[in-house]
Amino acid sequence: MTDKQKKVLYRIIATALLYAVLLVMEHIVKPAFMEQWYVTLVLFLIPYFVIGWDIMYKAVRNISHGQVFDENFLMSVATLAAFAIRDFPEAVGVMLFYRIGE
């Protein structure tokens, strides 16, 4: 494996662990501080940016170069739409599984 592949693998593992912990907290433990939607948003943004910051960067960069409808842009729109409808686990899951498949 190259160094770049190792870094992506470590980010996938870290995101998967954070995602699993947040899912357990949200659906099983249900701590009081997660009753506020904005707290849950901030908590799910952490693994989202760990795994998806480079996808978002590529989407913005490609838009500035005239390539609007590429896979990075579509993944960014899909996950940001999931955040907009407050389906935070879905947004992180989509980005995580996209990176695993990539």
Side-chain angles (χ1 to χ4, degrees):
M1 289 179 70
T2 66
D3 287 338
K4 184 177 180 180
Q5 291 172 329
K6 286 180 185 178
K7 287 180 184 179
V8 171
L9 178 62
Y10 295 146
R11 287 179 35 213
I12 288 172
I13 292 169
T15 300
L17 290 173
L18 286 169
Y19 184 57
V21 167
L22 287 172
L23 284 178
V24 167
M25 285 175 60
E26 185 178 44
H27 295 291
I28 297 173
V29 178
K30 298 181 183 178
F33 65 87
M34 285 187 75
E35 291 178 9
Q36 308 296 330
W37 69 268
Y38 52 85
V39 174
T40 307
L41 169 67
V42 170
L43 290 174
F44 275 99
L45 279 175
I46 295 168
Y48 178 77
F49 282 121
V50 168
I51 199 70
W53 68 269
D54 55 340
I55 299 299
M56 301 289 283
Y57 174 76
K58 288 177 189 175
V60 170
R61 188 185 69 208
N62 289 344
I63 289 171
S64 68
H65 291 123
Q67 288 182 312
V68 178
F69 293 110
D70 66 342
E71 62 186 14
N72 298 313
F73 173 74
L74 296 174
M75 290 305 299
S76 299
V77 168
T79 55
L80 291 176
F83 275 118
I85 62 171
R86 295 185 184 172
D87 196 357
F88 311 130
E90 181 75 19
V92 176
V94 166
M95 190 63 79
L96 175 63
F97 297 132
Y98 171 71
R99 289 303 301 226
I100 289 171
E102 194 177 47

